[in-house]
Amino acid sequence: MSFSALGLDPKILQAVQEAGYTEPTPIQTQAIPQILAGHDLIGIAQTGTGKTAAFTLPMLTKLAAQPAGQRRGTRVLVIAPTRELVLQIEENIRVYAKHLPLTVATVFGGVGEQPQIRALRAATDVVIACPGRLMDLMQRRYADFSQLQYLVLDEADRMLDMGFLPSIRQIVRSLPQKRQTLMFSASLSKEIESLTHEFQRSPKIVQIGRRANPAETVTQLIYEVPKHLKPALLLHLLRDPAMNMVLVFSRMKHAADRVARNLEQSGIKTATLHSNRSQNQRLKALKDFKSGAVRVLVATDIAARGIDVDGISHVVNYDFP
Ligand code: AMP
């Protein structure tokens, strides 16, 4: 299957080609025709499967086909659990939409709201948002979603885990009924099913082989060690230069800080990622990790979920997952 057989807009095909994609991933092959045909969709897929392009490419194709006169108002709303994920989705959408005259904006907490309010008022075509800040701005009547055509709930299971259901309900209640709703989740739980009944109409389901097993390219090791020796063991392991881009998961925020401090004191450049850190600190941590400026990123699972970073050499589960 090639991208050109999927019925996408030529300008989007061009952008996809320039991004270096040669063929669609399985979720793209399955989801794109369903979305183009106007169906609501449940996509059971994890980050890394290409799900962002799976929902973005057909939506952009449909937006591009609308006559200029209709191009007023926010037509796409993507809701995602974390600021990092919102920014990652934005980055992707900008790549795919680069030959189209569409505007894109993000809405999330921890940063100034004025630019976001301006973007909402300017009827930005595509808005990507975290539930909390979006609901806040909607309650204060800064957002006009009366022209909305597409709603995407990304990482829906994670949003439920994080307690966003009441906000999401409130947001969705004020959106036009006549819309296409796409929902993505890593797994299909009872809660997700009831959410689809609430928000979707006869959705099609696309499921991409949930990996019960880790990828075959991953080797797993377990070290049994008393708790007080964990810091020393981590330092010992990090003597191996092959551990050059290491993601350490810790369960608690303060434990993450402690691990990072310990590594820094031993001369290992380390950044931390968790929800007690400011938005700028979090963005800098990710940037430094991606660029190689720091060798280790210590993160809480919840903060790092859905983050797509190339070239990670090792993942350490500091606490038993
Ligand atoms: P996602 O699951 O949406 O987070 O995507 C994971 C990564 O795969 C992103 O870095 C995308 O740029 C990349 N990607 C998405 N679709 C394709 C494709 N068809 N071919 C190659 N890479 C892709």
Side-chain angles (χ1 to χ4, degrees):
M1 171 67 89
S2 76
F3 270 108
S4 53
L6 287 171
L8 296 168
D9 182 275
K11 289 194 171 129
I12 296 171
L13 283 179
Q14 189 190 340
V16 162
Q17 201 174 19
E18 286 163 6
Y21 303 176
T22 49
E23 57 180 44
T25 64
I27 186 135
Q28 291 161 6
T29 308
Q30 293 179 45
I32 290 172
Q34 302 281 12
I35 299 172
L36 285 175
H39 295 296
D40 280 3
L41 187 95
I42 307 171
I44 305 299
Q46 287 159 332
T47 294
T49 52
K51 68 184 161 74
T52 313
F55 63 74
T56 305
L57 303 180
M59 287 192 308
L60 294 178
T61 291
K62 300 233 258 182
L63 293 192
Q66 289 168 4
Q70 279 181 27
R71 287 185 198 149
R72 250 179 309 128
T74 297
R75 287 170 292 162
V76 173
L77 173 62
V78 181
I79 303 180
T82 63
R83 315 163 221 202
E84 285 78 8
L85 199 55
V86 163
L87 288 169
Q88 197 170 290
I89 295 168
E90 179 201 20
E91 204 179 306
N92 275 280
I93 293 184
R94 286 193 189 281
V95 168
Y96 308 139
K98 75 175 186 198
H99 301 301
L100 297 172
L102 294 173
T103 48
V104 182
T106 55
V107 170
F108 49 78
V111 294
E113 58 181 30
Q114 283 310 320
Q116 302 179 359
I117 291 174
R118 273 198 298 278
L120 288 172
R121 288 201 154 150
T124 302
D125 295 303
V126 179
V127 172
I128 311 143
C130 287
R133 172 65 67 88
L134 178 65
M135 195 182 65
D136 178 22
L137 297 183
M138 284 174 79
Q139 280 173 339
R140 287 153 58 206
R141 308 207 173 278
Y142 287 123
D144 175 5
F145 291 126
S146 59
Q147 302 304 310
L148 195 87
Q149 299 171 6
Y150 302 95
L151 169 67
V152 181
L153 298 172
D154 196 16
E155 305 257 347
D157 50 344
R158 175 57 39 152
M159 293 204 281
L160 293 185
D161 288 350
M162 291 169 79
F164 283 138
L165 183 57
S167 317
I168 292 172
R169 271 210 179 104
Q170 209 167 329
I171 292 166
V172 176
R173 220 176 278 144
S174 61
L175 301 178
Q177 297 259 329
K178 191 170 172 296
R179 56 158 205 268
Q180 203 172 336
T181 305
L182 315 173
M183 183 143 81
F184 290 81
S185 168
S187 60
L188 188 58
S189 62
K190 265 208 186 72
E191 289 76 17
I192 291 293
E193 272 189 61
S194 81
L195 212 60
T196 75
H197 289 306
E198 204 175 321
F199 297 151
Q200 298 188 297
R201 247 175 282 176
S202 325
K204 304 281 179 195
I205 298 192
V206 169
Q207 183 153 11
I208 296 308
R210 197 145 54 87
R211 280 202 229 117
N213 300 314
E216 279 166 21
T217 49
V218 174
T219 308
Q220 298 200 91
L221 296 167
I222 184 160
Y223 297 92
E224 281 184 63
V225 63
K227 197 169 168 206
H228 71 279
L229 292 179
K230 280 199 216 176
L233 174 61
L234 182 60
L235 275 176
H236 174 76
L237 292 172
L238 284 168
R239 282 204 203 132
D240 182 350
M243 292 187 77
N244 56 26
M245 194 172 183
V246 182
L247 180 58
V248 178
F249 282 121
S250 139
R251 211 159 23 212
M252 315 291 266
K253 295 169 201 170
H254 51 268
D257 285 332
R258 207 161 44 230
V259 171
R261 230 175 8 249
N262 184 40
L263 294 178
E264 279 284 343
Q265 276 163 5
S266 305
I268 294 171
K269 289 213 180 324
T270 304
T272 52
L273 188 74
H274 59 64
S275 57
N276 279 3
R277 311 212 71 208
S278 73
Q279 177 59 9
N280 280 340
Q281 288 174 321
R282 291 166 64 163
L283 289 178
K284 183 167 185 324
L286 258 184
K287 188 166 142 262
D288 287 349
F289 186 54
K290 285 184 180 175
S291 72
V294 301
R295 185 175 158 206
V296 180
L297 179 68
V298 187
T300 51
D301 175 44
I302 207 149
R305 160 89 186 240
I307 298 300
D308 172 40
V309 180
D310 282 335
I312 290 181
S313 65
H314 295 74
V315 174
V316 176
N317 282 303
Y318 199 76
D319 301 303
F320 204 76

